[in-house]
């Protein structure tokens, strides 16, 4: 999904129109920041990337000690051959995660990490260790003819002892509400209480279209998004009061505007952003205490430079579901673009604790630490992201930069050469920048030539590294319109040579980022002074 870092807050002297974040913007914000926008489907984490050789993985950054009231919902085991079975099971699993996540006293693992154990045979204690939780929810959905039989149990992972169990045979008409009482009972078994209203009953046909759409969505492909959109449209048509379907439809549209031929899509659908906002606001009106539509609304508003509303919605999402790793991540990004990276680091850390097996989230913690001038602390996180996904190009790029900041030049040069050999614009850009800083000018020029001409206008940060101030300023003027670049401008040392340039300061003011830049520079001064 879309990779960005949110937007700065503050009144702007220039109004930016609501914009679609085009493919080139997305690609280079991804390479630079490694920040995720919309929640990534399972398949996205395994999407093909340029192949690069992986270093010997460093030890995993130590997870938080599993809290007594911590839990992970494992994917359902489905028995039988009903065609809706696996889709229904995954939909129920997602709902359990969301409902338990909304309980402030609980620590609940994110879907990406907990569902990564699908089809794997590991001892409960090992699964819990990797997730950093004390309890696991194991579920089984069995089809006997047209009847669904559901078995759910809560276990203490270390011993395998069963704490709570329930069996049910929900009829088709009650599928949409089947998880609410189970989540409430599980929370009580853990000494906590659920909150939020029980969802309205939804027509069975609408709920079936919804779970089928979610299954297609999690394929993480353009074809899957096509089928998901069709399914969610059918669900909304059958049940206009179905808030979750409105949210899912808005999410598909948001990702379409960010990933699937963004320019062509936005030209053929000029009202796509207003439609997204309308769907999400309708979902919130129907179920105001559900977190995810608030988080998506915050993401959409950030991309449209509606920065105050974006932050407010993200804060609401985190309040309603403090265990939503994506909402935590996006709120941290918003803080970083306000020049409050020290405050943001706690959100990044929290997201990594909730989603410890998601290479994008783990890598993001490393990126944030590099920007915070803490490259030594960043390396274990970036190495962990690469251990989880050896083809994770963003982590590889930032690992090279961290080594450069640590003045470990032979390692940085070797990493940069691996990036250059991998091919692709992102690796080539970082390779050129690192090699130039390391004094390898010939190799840097060769890497720079790999970057397509159409992309070079998006890599002014490379020119910043080379000290070509006038070229950087000339390229920044149109590019600063992208919110995802603001934290980069505030914190990356490559821009130090042009911070005093009048046009640089003017561009920051036009983007409403002057105050954020000043706060960020104060943070950087404190960090330098603390190092002596």
């Amino acid at each position: 999904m879309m990779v960005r870092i949110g937007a700065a807050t503050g009144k702007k002297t220039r109004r930016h129109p609501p914009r679609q974040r085009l493919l080139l913007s997305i690609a280079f914000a991804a390479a630079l920041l490694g920040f995720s926008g919309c929640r990534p489907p399972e398949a996205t984490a395994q999407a093909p990337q340029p192949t690069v050789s992986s270093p010997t993985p460093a030890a995993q950054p130590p997870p938080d000690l599993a809290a007594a009231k911590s839990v992970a919902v494992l994917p359902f085991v489905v028995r039988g051959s009903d065609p809706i079975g696996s889709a229904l099971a995954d939909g129920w699993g997602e709902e359990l995660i969301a409902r338990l996540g909304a309980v402030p006293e609980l620590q609940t693992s994110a879907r990406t990490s907990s569902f990564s154990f699908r089809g794997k045979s590991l001892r409960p204690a090992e699964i819990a260790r990797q997730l950093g939780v004390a309890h696991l929810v194991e579920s089984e959905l069995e089809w006997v003819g047209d009847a669904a039989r559901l078995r759910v149990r809560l276990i203490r992972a270390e011993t395998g002892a069963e704490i709570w169990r329930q069996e049910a045979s929900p009829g088709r008409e009650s599928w949409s509400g089947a998880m609410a009482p189970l989540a409430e009972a599980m929370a009580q078994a853990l000494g906590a209480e659920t909150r939020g209203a029980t969802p309205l009953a939804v027509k069975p046909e609408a709920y079936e279209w919804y779970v089928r759409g979610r299954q297609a969505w999690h394929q993480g492909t353009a074809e899957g998004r096509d089928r998901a959109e069709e399914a969610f449209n059918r669900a909304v048509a059958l049940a206009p009061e179905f808030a979750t379907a409105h949210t899912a439809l808005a999410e598909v549209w948001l990702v379409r505007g960010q990933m699937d031929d963004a320019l062509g899509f936005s030209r053929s659908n000029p009202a796509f952003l207003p439609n997204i906002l309308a769907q999400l606001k309708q979902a919130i009106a129907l179920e105001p205490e559900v977190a995810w539509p608030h988080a998506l609304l915050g993401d959409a508003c950030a991309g449209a430079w509606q920065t105050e509303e974006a932050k407010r919605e993200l804060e609401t999402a985190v309040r309603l579901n403090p265990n939503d790793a994506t909402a935590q991540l996006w709120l941290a990004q918003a803080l970083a673009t306000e020049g409050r990276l020290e405050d943001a680091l706690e959100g990044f850390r929290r997201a990594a604790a909730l989603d410890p097996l998601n290479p994008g989230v783990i890598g993001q913690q490393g990126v944030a630490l590099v920007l915070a001038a803490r490259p030594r602390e960043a390396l274990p996180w970036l190495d962990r992201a690469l251990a989880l996904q050896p083809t994770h190009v963003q982590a590889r790029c930032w690992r090279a930069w961290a080594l450069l900041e640590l003045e470990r030049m032979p390692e940085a040069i070797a990493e940069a050469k691996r990036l250059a050999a991998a091919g692709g614009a992102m690796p080539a850009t970082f390779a050129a920048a690192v090699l130039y800083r390391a004094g390898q000018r010939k190799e840097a020029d060769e890497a720079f030539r790999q970057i397509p001409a159409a992309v070079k206008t998006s890599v002014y940060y490379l020119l910043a590294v080379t000290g070509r101030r006038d070229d950087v300023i000339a390229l920044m003027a149109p590019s600063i319109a992208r919110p995802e670049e603001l934290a980069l401008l505030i914190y990356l040392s490559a821009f130090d040579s042009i911070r005093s340039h009048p046009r640089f300061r003017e561009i920051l003011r036009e983007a409403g980022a002057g105050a954020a830049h000043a706060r960020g520079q104060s943070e950087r001064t404190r960090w330098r002074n603390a190092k002596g």
Side-chain angles (χ1 to χ4, degrees), residues 372-398:
R374 293 156 64 175
R376 195 176 307 280
E377 296 175 55
L379 275 178
W381 293 95
L382 297 170
D383 286 342
R384 175 58 181 163
L386 288 166
L388 290 167
Q389 185 179 339
T391 57
H392 197 291
V393 173
Q394 292 92 334
R396 174 76 63 197
C397 291
W398 280 101

Side-chain angles (χ1 to χ4, degrees), residues 118-252:
R118 188 193 304 272
K120 297 180 181 178
S121 298
L122 293 174
R123 294 185 303 107
E126 175 59 20
I127 294 174
R129 185 195 67 79
Q130 293 189 37
L131 294 173
V133 298
H135 302 91
L136 299 175
V137 177
E138 298 179 335
S139 308
E140 181 179 295
L141 176 60
E142 182 180 9
W143 291 96
V144 181
D146 293 332
R149 292 182 180 175
L150 180 63
R151 303 177 186 89
V152 184
R153 69 181 195 139
L154 177 69
I155 67 169
R156 184 171 288 109
E158 184 177 1
T159 63
E162 186 173 282
I163 300 172
W164 170 90
R165 165 189 283 271
Q166 187 162 328
E167 298 187 10
S169 297
R172 183 167 176 262
E173 69 285 350
S174 63
W175 284 354
S176 63
M179 294 301 104
L182 298 183
E184 182 176 1
M186 275 187 271
Q188 290 175 351
L190 290 169
E193 293 185 6
T194 56
R195 66 183 184 186
T198 300
L200 298 174
V202 174
K203 292 179 181 178
E205 296 86 353
Y207 191 74
E208 287 183 26
W209 278 115
Y210 166 74
V211 296
R212 289 182 190 277
R214 291 300 293 176
Q215 187 175 55
W217 165 257
H218 282 292
Q219 292 176 3
T221 64
E223 180 183 356
R225 287 187 283 276
D226 286 343
R227 290 191 286 109
E229 182 178 4
E230 179 183 2
F232 297 147
N233 271 316
R234 288 177 178 266
V236 167
L238 287 166
E241 75 285 1
F242 192 2
T244 307
H246 286 285
T247 302
L249 184 58
E251 189 172 8
V252 171

Side-chain angles (χ1 to χ4, degrees), residues 253-395:
W253 271 68
L254 188 57
V255 172
R256 282 196 178 287
Q258 297 168 342
M259 290 186 68
D260 297 342
D261 187 19
L263 181 58
F265 178 81
S266 60
R267 283 176 175 169
S268 61
N269 298 275
F272 91 99
L273 183 59
N275 286 344
I276 289 168
L277 299 180
Q279 291 283 353
L280 292 172
K281 290 178 179 179
Q282 185 169 358
I284 290 170
L286 290 166
E287 289 186 352
E289 296 302 306
V290 176
W292 187 231
H294 289 281
L296 281 174
L297 183 56
D299 182 54
C301 288
W305 289 88
Q306 300 171 14
T307 54
E308 292 296 338
E309 184 174 357
K311 184 180 174 185
R312 182 171 62 251
E313 292 297 333
L314 291 169
E315 289 174 338
T316 299
V318 168
R319 175 179 58 81
L320 293 173
N321 186 345
N323 290 289
D324 190 317
T326 305
Q328 291 277 2
L329 192 70
W330 289 348
L331 181 57
Q333 293 164 5
L335 293 174
T337 55
E338 287 184 347
R340 296 170 55 192
L341 187 53
E342 285 182 345
D343 295 335
L345 285 172
E346 173 58 25
F348 293 133
R349 186 206 64 79
R350 176 68 175 162
L354 293 169
D355 208 356
L357 302 181
N358 184 331
V361 174
I362 296 300
Q364 171 57 80
Q365 174 75 346
V367 174
L369 288 166
V370 172
L371 291 179
R374 293 156 64 175
R376 195 176 307 280
E377 296 175 55
L379 275 178
W381 293 95
L382 297 170
D383 286 342
R384 175 58 181 163
L386 288 166
L388 290 167
Q389 185 179 339
T391 57
H392 197 291
V393 173
Q394 292 92 334

Side-chain angles (χ1 to χ4, degrees), residues 28-86:
F28 284 96
L32 280 169
L33 302 170
F35 290 171
S36 57
C38 295
R39 185 191 306 274
E42 275 183 287
T44 303
Q46 303 301 324
Q49 299 277 359
T51 301
V52 289
S53 60
S54 185
T56 301
Q60 179 178 358
D64 294 346
L65 293 176
K69 296 182 180 181
S70 57
V71 63
V73 178
L74 300 180
F76 280 50
V77 174
V78 180
R79 306 189 189 283
S81 57
D82 189 280
I84 192 65
S86 59

Side-chain angles (χ1 to χ4, degrees), residues 406-423:
L406 290 169
E407 298 184 355
R408 291 164 56 174
M409 293 305 176
E411 294 172 84
I413 291 170
E415 194 72 271
K417 289 181 176 179
R418 281 192 286 265
L419 288 170

